[in-house]
Amino acid sequence: GAVVSQHPSWVICKSGTSVKIECRSLDFQATTMFWYRQFPKQSLMLMATSNEGSKATYEQGVEKDKFLINHASLTLSTLTVTSAHPEDSSFYICSARRTSGLGGVYEQYFGPGTRLTVT
Amino acid sequence: QKEVEQDPGPLSVPEGAIVSLNCTYSNSAFQYFMWYRQYSRKGPELLMYTYSSGNKEDGRFTAQVDKSSKYISLFIRDSQPSDSATYLCAISSGGYNKLIFGAGTRLAVHP
C-alpha cells in the first residue's frame, strides 16, 4: 500500500508555455499533499503544502502565481508551472500524507517525480 | 545553523560492510524521525520511521534516535550493491507538520 503516482514522468516544453503535473495517491486518501523541487545532487526543497478543498500554503520565496496548485479531491493534486522558463527546469516531486497506525501520526509517501526541461 | 545537518558523502563501502549514516539536528522539539532512500532520478522511498527516542529494526536496517545528543543514525547490515543510493534523513516537530530534510548522503556499495 501507500503508492503515489505522478504524471508525466518527463516533459519538455518551450519557454513561455505552461505545464501541468498530476500527483495521485492510488490506494489511500490524502487530505494533504506536498510539492517539492530538487536540483541535481541536492536535497528536496519544499515548495508548497496542498490541502484538499482549500488554498495551498507556499514556502517563502516560491511564487504562488507561477506555481499554481490545485487539490480538488482526496487523491489528486496538480501543479501547473505557468509561463515556464529555462530556470524552472528541475525535478518536481510530490508526496502524500497518510495516517499511520502509530497513534495517528502521519507518514509521507513520495511520487516518482517529474523531470521538467524548459527549452 | 541548519536545522538538520547531514554529511553528503559520497560514502563508498565494500559489499557486506556495515554502513552507518547519521544526521544531527538543532531543535529539541523535533519528535518524528524518518529515513528515506532515493535512487537516481526517482522519488524518495520511506525506509524507517521512529517517534521519539530509541531503536527500530527492520531486516538489515536499524534506525536509532538519541534525543539527548540530537543525533539520529541509520545502520545497514550486510550491505548490498542494490543499497547504492542517496539516503535522506527527515525530521518533524509534529505529526501534522512538514518534514525537514537533510542534504542526503550518497552511498556506493561495490562488489
Side-chain angles (χ1 to χ4, degrees), chain A residues 32-97:
Chain A
T32 303
M33 291 184 172
F34 302 87
W35 286 96
Y36 294 84
R37 186 172 178 175
Q38 187 176 35
F39 291 105
K41 298 187 178 181
Q42 294 188 24
S43 192
L44 289 81
M45 183 192 81
L46 180 64
M47 298 175 66
T49 302
S50 165
N51 292 297
E52 186 267 336
S54 64
K55 289 184 178 181
T57 302
Y58 290 82
E59 294 298 302
Q60 192 173 11
V62 178
E63 299 175 59
K64 62 180 180 182
D65 294 330
K66 180 169 186 62
F67 298 100
L68 301 179
I69 292 172
N70 183 280
H71 192 159
S73 78
L74 289 172
T75 59
L76 173 64
S77 176
T78 60
L79 168 68
T80 301
V81 183
T82 63
S83 186
H85 291 285
E87 57 265 30
D88 297 324
S89 299
S90 189
F91 193 49
Y92 292 87
I93 310 175
C94 73
S95 72
R97 197 161 63 183

Side-chain angles (χ1 to χ4, degrees), chain B residues 31-106:
Chain B
Q31 298 276 356
Y32 302 89
F33 307 93
M34 292 86 166
W35 285 94
Y36 287 85
R37 177 175 63 195
Q38 185 176 25
Y39 291 110
S40 181
R41 298 176 180 260
K42 300 290 185 183
E45 169 194 9
L46 180 63
L47 275 180
M48 301 283 287
Y49 175 105
T50 53
Y51 169 68
S52 195
S53 286
N55 295 358
K56 186 174 183 179
E57 189 172 321
D58 184 1
R60 297 185 294 112
F61 298 90
T62 300
Q64 285 187 352
V65 175
D66 182 348
K67 291 192 71 180
S68 61
S69 302
K70 300 189 185 68
Y71 192 85
I72 61 174
S73 302
L74 178 71
F75 297 96
I76 307 174
R77 290 183 298 281
D78 188 26
S79 56
Q80 303 294 310
S82 59
D83 295 327
S84 299
T86 295
Y87 290 81
L88 300 122
C89 63
I91 58 177
S92 175
S93 57
Y96 295 84
N97 296 347
K98 64 183 181 183
L99 293 179
I100 299 170
F101 282 89
T105 300
R106 283 183 289 137

Side-chain angles (χ1 to χ4, degrees), chain A residues 2-13:
Chain A
V3 179
V4 177
S5 70
Q6 271 184 253
H7 178 80
S9 57
W10 182 50
V11 57
I12 299 174
C13 70

